[in-house]
Amino acid sequence: MGVSTQTVSQGTAPVFDPAAATQAYIDSLGPDALAKAAAYTMGNHILLGVGVIVSALVTFALVRSRLPQKLEDKFGSGSFLGIALISMVTLVLGTIISLPWDLYTDWWRETQYGRTSQPLSDHLTQTGIATGLGVVAGAFFFVILYFLIRRAGRFWWIWGGGVTAALISLLLLLSPTYIEPLFNDFEPIPEGPVREAVLALAADADIPADRIFVFDGSRQSNNFTANVSGLGDAARIAISDVALGEASLDEVKAVTGHEVGHYVLGHVWRSVGVFSVLAMVMFFLADRTFGFFTALFGARGTIADPSTLPVLLFVIGFFGVIAEPITNTLTRIGETEADQYSLDTVGLPDALASALVKTAEYRNPRPTRWQEALFYTHPSVERRVRRAMDWKAANLPAPALADE
């Protein structure tokens, strides 16, 4: 970044201007890239609403097929085997019916915007694996849920939230070791300056060296990403090979500092708690509105009948979309905290800013306040870069600012 974009004259000494520096970072993408990012992001917002309509059509098709009802008639509404079969059939058929839509949103559109170069065959293979895992986990979950609905009475939704918390925790515990390797290869970061820098940051936060990995995220996406997953001793930090290949050493340090922040601040545990409470709320709302939705789709039965599972899935998904502004807000808070951790511990605001700009290619960096509040899981890139520049102005000595 040139001095002219980050400083203003005050007498004979240049004064760092965070606003000008932020604008320069975002403008560095160029008008075409900014317009493309805005179009891609707005399209995602539209697809969210269209997805509710598609989900309603899938639910209608499943109800009209009467397959869940026939299985319930044969095995009984209280049979563990019957509930498991109804769950598996519902989830598999739902995936098959919605496959054209999912292919459009998750593969074709991503390909058109240059966000993935994954072959269709590989995408379908991984979709099949994910569906298989979801069917097994879903059958297990719904067997327990319907047992609770029948046995716990009017307060089943509280117990349902507890079961959701247990299942989320179990999946998070198993994910790094048994689930994620089904989709990607995870390897230690290769020897060299990057590995030394990353392990030094991990050591400062008391994170074991064997908890830091690089994975072939380029298999699914061209996005510049990293993440924290797992719980307890199974928790790990993983950096995509895309990020590792495109980032400078300082950018790797800044991004790793961000992910270390998630790890140290216990954001995974917070997520378990938040989503468990939200599950209780979703189940409560489903319990109170189920009669309306069964009538809407022409289904027979109550919320305690497994044959109405397609309707239950739609209701939970519907209220989940409505609740997204809440979940997004909580997630943005965590991202802000992780950014702050990186700034305070790594102290590379320009590296963090330049790394963030790389994510702006698939996330409009300049949304309106309402767009960010309703749809963004991360603070806007412009807001995050500005926070980094404000930190720089407040924490770096004047000579360092003048050298920019």
Side-chain angles (χ1 to χ4, degrees):
M1 305 292 294
V3 174
S4 60
T5 64
Q6 296 193 19
T7 61
V8 295
S9 289
Q10 186 173 2
T12 59
V15 177
F16 180 71
D17 183 353
T22 300
Q23 180 176 341
Y25 269 116
I26 305 303
D27 287 346
S28 68
L29 285 165
D32 291 342
L34 287 170
K36 186 176 181 180
Y40 175 78
T41 304
M42 180 57 71
N44 285 342
H45 301 164
I46 295 171
L47 291 177
L48 184 65
V50 178
V52 174
I53 298 173
V54 172
S55 179
L57 294 174
V58 171
T59 302
F60 184 80
L62 288 170
V63 170
R64 290 304 180 189
S65 75
R66 292 188 54 78
L67 280 175
Q69 186 66 57
K70 291 176 182 178
L71 288 171
E72 184 176 283
D73 292 341
K74 182 174 182 178
F75 293 98
S77 60
S79 163
F80 282 5
L81 176 60
I83 296 172
L85 287 175
I86 290 171
S87 301
M88 289 188 286
V89 167
T90 298
L91 293 171
V92 170
L93 284 181
T95 300
I96 293 173
I97 295 171
S98 63
L99 184 59
W101 171 253
D102 293 333
L103 282 177
Y104 168 73
T105 58
D106 298 339
W107 182 79
W108 189 85
R109 186 170 181 270
E110 294 295 294
T111 300
Q112 296 304 301
Y113 273 95
R115 305 281 20 108
T116 184
S117 53
Q118 184 179 29
L120 178 59
S121 58
D122 189 48
H123 177 83
L124 289 172
T125 298
Q126 295 208 326
T127 298
I129 295 172
T131 300
L133 293 172
V135 166
V136 172
F140 175 76
F141 175 76
F142 286 115
V143 164
I144 298 175
L145 185 65
Y146 279 108
F147 174 81
L148 290 173
I149 292 175
R150 290 174 174 272
R151 296 299 179 90
R154 58 185 299 186
F155 296 111
W156 68 269
W157 49 273
I158 298 177
W159 292 95
V163 171
T164 301
L167 181 61
I168 291 175
S169 299
L170 178 62
L171 291 176
L172 286 172
L173 188 64
L174 297 178
S175 182
T177 305
Y178 299 104
I179 299 177
E180 293 176 21
L182 296 175
F183 301 92
N184 292 100
D185 294 325
F186 292 81
E187 303 289 344
I189 296 177
E191 295 290 343
V194 169
R195 176 178 173 82
E196 292 174 5
V198 168
L199 294 187
L201 291 171
D204 289 342
D206 294 326
I207 298 174
D210 61 356
R211 296 291 87 204
I212 312 290
F213 294 88
V214 59
F215 71 103
D216 58 337
S218 58
R219 178 178 181 182
Q220 295 94 359
S221 172
N222 297 328
N223 293 348
F224 187 100
T225 60
N227 64 77
V228 174
S229 64
L231 294 174
D233 293 339
R236 71 178 175 200
I237 295 171
I239 304 172
S240 169
D241 57 347
V242 176
L244 214 58
E246 294 182 3
S248 67
L249 179 58
D250 279 353
E251 287 174 339
V252 170
K253 291 179 181 178
V255 170
T256 303
H258 174 96
E259 299 305 330
V260 168
H262 283 305
Y263 185 103
V264 171
L265 298 172
H267 288 164
V268 174
W269 286 108
R270 181 197 294 178
S271 297
V272 172
V274 167
F275 285 106
S276 299
V277 171
L278 282 174
M280 291 185 192
V281 174
M282 298 301 159
F283 290 147
F284 173 80
L285 292 173
D287 185 67
R288 295 301 187 269
T289 62
F290 203 72
F292 168 79
F293 283 103
T294 52
L296 180 67
F297 289 108
R300 291 193 295 115
T302 69
I303 198 169
D305 297 314
S307 61
T308 61
L309 176 59
V311 179
L312 179 61
L313 290 173
F314 173 82
V315 174
I316 293 173
F318 175 75
F319 285 119
V321 170
I322 293 176
E324 279 207 5
I326 298 174
T327 58
N328 289 346
T329 297
L330 294 170
T331 305
R332 287 197 303 273
I333 291 172
E335 295 299 325
T336 299
E337 292 172 345
D339 280 350
Q340 192 64 44
Y341 183 93
S342 177
L343 291 168
D344 291 339
T345 58
V346 182
L348 294 171
D350 283 294
L352 181 62
S354 58
L356 289 171
V357 167
K358 290 181 170 68
T359 71
E361 294 180 354
Y362 56 91
R363 189 182 294 129
N364 181 11
R366 288 172 171 157
T368 66
R369 284 279 189 173
W370 280 109
Q371 282 179 310
E372 184 174 343
L374 293 174
F375 300 111
Y376 274 51
T377 58
H378 294 59
S380 70
V381 171
E382 183 174 56
R383 197 177 308 282
R384 296 173 76 182
V385 170
R386 176 58 186 267
R387 185 175 292 108
M389 295 301 97
D390 285 339
W391 185 95
K392 176 179 177 178
N395 291 273
L396 293 189
L401 294 176
D403 289 341
E404 291 294 333

